[in-house]
């Protein structure tokens, strides 16, 4: 179904496709825009490997369940197993960083939240995690990555990893207390303010510092 494979520094990485562990509300400005409280601990959820698709080509979105929002996020590719790990072990296990879309069926999510039901249908559907290739960066640069999303030429999201409420290394350590991270897993680190609905035919430009620059178009899921 998906032609996705992990790429690191331009070459295929010998890593299987795994789960995607996501953190919600890791940027205060985004928590506020959705009228959510700023959490005292990371809010975690998981997308299965069937959500992974490449950003190297059009992104298909479902149209049957209301609005589908973009959320641009810095993505971390895991290269070594992490279980109840230290921050130092987490640092050693990072295989690369990239940019991903945490696609969210916002109307469906609102309905599920209102009924106090899990979000999976709104966030873990097939193709819900379009992801770029990854690049390696020194650990001391993890919290100084600027990333942007433009929709039809308009700047909609302009975030910097310096603003994460829980930075990458403590986040990986926290996640690994609950879910063992395995080689090939991806962690999405949260979205800054500016999320919004996608429309068919949209052109998106995504960038991560001066390392990743890509564009894609939005198409309807057949
Ligand atoms: Zn998100």
């Amino acid at each position: 179904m998906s032609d996705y494979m992990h790429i690191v520094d331009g070459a295929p990485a010998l890593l299987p496709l795994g789960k995607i562990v996501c953190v919600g509300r890791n940027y205060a400005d985004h928590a506020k825009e959705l009228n959510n409280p700023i959490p005292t601990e990371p809010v975690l959820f998981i997308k299965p490997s069937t959500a992974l698709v490449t950003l190297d080509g059009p992104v298909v979105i479902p149209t049957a369940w209301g609005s589908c929002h973009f959320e641009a996020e810095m993505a971390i590719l895991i290269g070594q197993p992490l279980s109840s790990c230290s921050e130092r072990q987490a640092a050693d296990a990072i295989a690369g960083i990239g940019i991903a879309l945490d696609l969210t069926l916002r109307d469906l999510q609102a309905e599920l939240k209102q009924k106090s039901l899990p979000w999976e249908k709104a966030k873990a559907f097939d193709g819900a995690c379009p992801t770029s290739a990854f690049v390696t960066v020194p650990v001391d640069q993890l919290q100084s990555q600027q990333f942007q999303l433009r929709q039809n030429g308009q700047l909609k999201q302009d975030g910097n990893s310096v603003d994460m409420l829980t930075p990458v290394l403590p986040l990986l350590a926290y996640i690994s207390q609950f879910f063992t991270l395995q080689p090939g897993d991806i962690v999405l680190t949260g979205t800054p303010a500016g999320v919004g609905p996608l429309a068919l035919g949209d052109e998106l430009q995504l960038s991560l510092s001066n390392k990743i620059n890509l564009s894609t178009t939005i198409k309807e899921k057949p």
Side-chain angles (χ1 to χ4, degrees):
M1 183 211 109
S2 166
D3 55 352
Y4 182 87
M5 71 165 88
H6 296 310
I7 308 276
V8 178
D9 290 337
L14 298 175
L15 292 170
L17 303 190
K19 64 184 174 294
I20 305 137
V21 182
C22 307
V23 56
R25 305 171 200 168
N26 203 24
Y27 289 82
D29 58 354
H30 169 65
K32 278 183 210 145
E33 77 178 340
L34 293 186
N35 294 315
N36 285 315
I38 292 166
T40 51
E41 281 190 83
V43 176
L44 302 181
F45 60 96
I46 287 181
K47 297 180 191 249
S49 59
T50 42
L52 266 178
V53 288
T54 178
L55 268 171
D56 184 21
V59 167
V60 298
I61 60 168
T63 53
W65 301 291
S67 68
C68 183
H69 275 208
F70 56 80
E71 294 187 0
E73 311 201 1
M74 191 169 99
I76 310 290
L77 178 63
I78 303 297
Q80 290 169 31
L82 291 174
S83 182
S84 295
C85 70
S86 65
E87 292 186 25
R88 183 186 201 119
Q89 290 167 321
D92 290 341
I94 295 175
I97 65 171
I99 191 158
L101 292 174
D102 168 17
L103 292 183
T104 304
L105 295 166
R106 191 71 71 198
D107 297 334
L108 182 56
Q109 186 195 29
E111 192 183 313
L112 293 167
K113 277 164 85 173
Q114 204 216 342
K115 294 177 183 162
S116 300
L117 291 172
W119 297 342
E120 266 82 355
K121 285 190 286 186
K123 278 190 174 277
F125 57 89
D126 287 354
C129 193
T131 301
S132 74
F134 292 85
V135 292
T136 50
V137 293
V139 170
D140 64 3
Q141 290 177 22
L142 285 172
Q143 301 309 139
S144 57
Q145 299 295 323
Q146 186 187 30
F147 57 102
Q148 295 184 325
L149 178 144
R150 285 184 166 75
Q151 184 181 31
N152 303 319
Q154 272 199 312
L155 183 65
K156 292 295 175 90
Q157 293 194 275
D158 185 8
N160 193 302
S161 58
V162 73
D163 294 319
M164 286 181 190
L165 296 172
T166 306
V168 173
L169 298 183
L171 179 63
L172 296 182
Y174 181 85
I175 289 171
S176 80
Q177 293 176 39
F178 298 90
F179 314 117
T180 296
L181 291 168
Q182 294 177 308
D185 285 352
I186 289 172
V187 171
L188 297 196
T189 54
T191 198
V195 303
L198 291 164
L200 300 180
D202 275 354
E203 304 271 344
L204 300 186
Q205 277 100 41
L206 288 151
S207 65
L208 178 71
S209 298
N210 54 359
K211 298 168 177 62
I212 295 174
N213 239 307
L214 60 90
S215 31
T216 186
T217 54
I218 302 301
K219 296 200 165 163
E220 186 170 10
K221 202 167 201 166

